Amino acid sequence: MSRQRGSMAIVLMAVVVLAAVLALGAARLGGAIVARARADAAADAAALAAADMLALGRGEHAAAAAAAETAADNDARLVSCECAGRIATVHVEVATTGLGRVAGPARSTARAEVRPQG
């Protein structure tokens, strides 16, 4: 009988370890999804800010500065801003925290276009 109890303890420990591994994996995946959503939002906002500057006729340098400031306001880093004519394309990174740091920063790209009225 005591031998059977010992084997049940081993099975129970294996189940507990498996549950812990699955919980850590789910937490890491959830953190990555949140970081990606934050990067998407920051990229969208930065692209719109850059397009706004282009629409106002302030030029590519002002558009890039507005994109960088908006990305920073959204806890992101502007990696690049390609502003040419009426189109602004931005690439941003958001640092991940906790277990997500292993995978590196979340990255996103967004594009905004200024369309003439009429």
Side-chain angles (χ1 to χ4, degrees):
M1 182 78 104
S2 65
R3 199 167 180 193
Q4 287 178 353
R5 271 194 240 156
S7 64
M8 283 304 292
I10 291 172
V11 170
L12 182 60
M13 282 184 10
V15 168
V16 168
V17 168
L18 179 63
V21 168
L22 290 174
L24 286 173
R28 185 171 174 192
L29 179 62
I33 291 170
V34 168
R36 178 59 194 252
R38 288 179 49 223
D40 287 343
D44 288 343
L48 289 172
D52 188 39
M53 290 293 115
L54 293 175
L56 294 172
R58 297 203 180 145
E60 295 175 13
H61 293 294
E69 182 180 346
T70 302
D73 289 344
N74 285 279
D75 297 325
R77 182 179 73 86
L78 182 68
V79 175
S80 69
C81 179
E82 300 153 15
C83 300
R86 302 178 322 181
I87 299 173
T89 304
V90 299
H91 305 276
V92 301
E93 287 183 349
V94 171
T96 54
T97 58
L99 294 173
R101 277 190 239 167
V102 176
R107 295 176 181 89
S108 186
T109 301
R111 179 177 179 266
E113 181 177 354
V114 177
R115 293 190 180 156
Q117 291 180 340

